[in-house]
């Protein structure tokens, strides 16, 4: 057949049917068969492999616990990925699959620590209590738990500047709640009409003073009292002084 004849047939559609038959026999059927084969045999294997790569919650907890101990002992920057894996008894690939980065591990630990302290703090008082009593319970509970947290004790005191933005975002929520309580106390006449931001600054400054108490452990070792007793004593002195200065009447 001459080219002009082929062109004519193509234009009239006479050659379309043979081409479709060739396509179905040589391309479409093999592709369809391959797709069915993949779905039947290969896909289950892929899904099984993917499931096997998932890290169990128990293993994640072990990794978090190991990382928490190391961060509290050595700090964030001196703790390596390999250290965490070794301390947890797993390989580094498992740590990576579970959390991807060391920062993600740290952020989750921080989230859990802050959540626990916040829950305990706001469960310590009731809504109908006088403002000074509320503040006393909030300060005592929050500062005591923060100081007893080995993770926060090291990180907040030694590496705070590197994590300032993270801690500021966490603290803001807590301080916003305390600010509301202070403002309510001012309106009720239970707290002196003082600048709430100044009161919050006093509270925050004292928290950092408490976090440095562990530096007194060498001196305290010669005493019959424990570090917990020292924390309780300093806390009480501060709380009573704070309320005496800023309460409208002694509580």
């Amino acid at each position: 057949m001459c080219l002009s004849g082929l062109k004519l047939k193509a234009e009239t559609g006479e050659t379309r049917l043979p081409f479709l038959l060739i396509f179905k026999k040589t391309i479409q059927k093999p592709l369809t068969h391959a797709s069915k084969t993949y779905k039947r045999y290969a896909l289950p294997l892929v899904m099984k492999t993917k499931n096997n790569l998932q890290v169990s919650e128990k293993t994640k907890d072990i990794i978090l616990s190991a990382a928490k101990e190391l961060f509290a002992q050595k700090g964030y920057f001196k703790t390596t990925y390999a250290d965490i894996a070794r301390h947890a008894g797993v390989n580094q690939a498992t740590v990576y699959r579970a959390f991807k980065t060391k920062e993600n591990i740290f952020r989750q630990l921080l989230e859990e620590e802050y959540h626990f302290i916040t829950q305990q703090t706001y469960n310590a008082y009731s809504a109908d209590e006088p403002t000074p009593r509320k503040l006393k319970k909030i300060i005592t509970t929050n500062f005591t738990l923060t100081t007893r947290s080995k993770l926060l004790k090291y990180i907040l005191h030694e590496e705070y500047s590197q994590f300032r933005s993270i801690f500021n975002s966490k603290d803001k929520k807590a301080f916003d709640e305390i600010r509301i309580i202070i403002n309510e106390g001012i309106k009720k006449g239970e707290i002196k009409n003082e600048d709430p931001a100044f009161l919050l600054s006093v509270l925050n400054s004292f928290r950092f003073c408490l976090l440095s108490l562990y530096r007194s452990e060498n001196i305290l070792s010669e005493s019959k009292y424990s570090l917990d007793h020292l924390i309780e004593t300093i806390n009480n002195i501060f709380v009573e002084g704070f309320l005496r200065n800023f309460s409208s009447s002694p509580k």
Side-chain angles (χ1 to χ4, degrees), residues 92-144:
Q92 293 186 54
T94 301
V95 179
Y96 176 80
R97 290 201 307 273
F99 298 101
K100 295 295 186 286
T101 66
K102 185 174 73 169
E103 183 178 345
N104 287 342
I105 297 174
F106 177 72
R107 283 180 178 274
Q108 183 161 334
L109 286 172
L110 198 63
E111 188 68 37
E112 291 177 358
E113 207 81 357
Y114 266 83
H115 178 73
F116 172 74
I117 292 174
T118 300
Q119 289 295 107
Q120 294 298 313
T121 298
Y122 293 107
N123 286 337
Y125 69 91
S126 58
D128 57 348
E129 288 184 282
T131 303
R133 193 176 300 167
K134 283 183 187 177
L135 289 174
K136 182 174 183 177
K137 290 183 177 181
I138 289 171
I139 295 168
T140 301
T141 305
N142 186 280
F143 286 4
T144 300

Side-chain angles (χ1 to χ4, degrees), residues 36-55:
K36 290 180 179 179
T37 303
Y38 172 78
K39 289 180 180 179
R40 183 176 180 182
Y41 299 105
L43 186 58
L45 291 175
V46 171
M47 295 304 295
K48 184 177 180 180
T49 302
K50 183 178 180 180
N51 291 334
N52 287 339
L53 290 175
Q54 292 178 348
V55 180

Side-chain angles (χ1 to χ4, degrees), residues 18-19 27-29 48 59 95 168 217 230:
F19 280 138
I27 299 176
Q28 189 179 43
K29 286 185 177 180
K48 184 177 180 180
T59 301
V95 179
N168 284 348
E217 285 179 317
L230 176 62

Side-chain angles (χ1 to χ4, degrees), residues 194-230:
E194 184 63 79
D195 178 8
F198 176 71
L199 299 184
L200 290 173
S201 297
V202 173
L203 294 176
N204 194 44
S205 298
F206 183 70
R207 182 179 61 163
F208 279 94
C209 291
L210 277 178
L211 288 167
S212 66
L213 286 180
Y214 77 97
R215 293 183 178 275
S216 300
E217 285 179 317
N218 290 335
I219 303 173
L220 195 63
S221 63
E222 302 172 8
S223 168
K224 65 179 181 180
Y225 295 109
S226 65
L227 181 60
D228 282 346
H229 184 71
L230 176 62

Side-chain angles (χ1 to χ4, degrees), residues 71 75-77 103 106-115 117-118 142 146 149-176 204 207-208 211:
F71 290 155
Y76 175 84
F77 293 102
E103 183 178 345
F106 177 72
R107 283 180 178 274
Q108 183 161 334
L109 286 172
L110 198 63
E111 188 68 37
E112 291 177 358
E113 207 81 357
Y114 266 83
H115 178 73
I117 292 174
T118 300
N142 186 280
T146 300
S149 167
K150 293 181 180 180
L151 174 66
L152 293 180
K153 182 174 68 175
Y154 187 98
I155 299 295
L156 281 173
H157 196 272
E158 300 291 343
E159 299 179 338
Y160 174 78
S161 59
Q162 288 92 338
F163 298 105
R164 189 184 302 273
S165 61
I166 297 176
F167 287 120
N168 284 348
S169 65
K170 297 292 182 186
D171 289 338
K172 184 180 183 304
K173 183 177 180 181
F175 285 140
D176 284 346
N204 194 44
R207 182 179 61 163
F208 279 94
L211 288 167

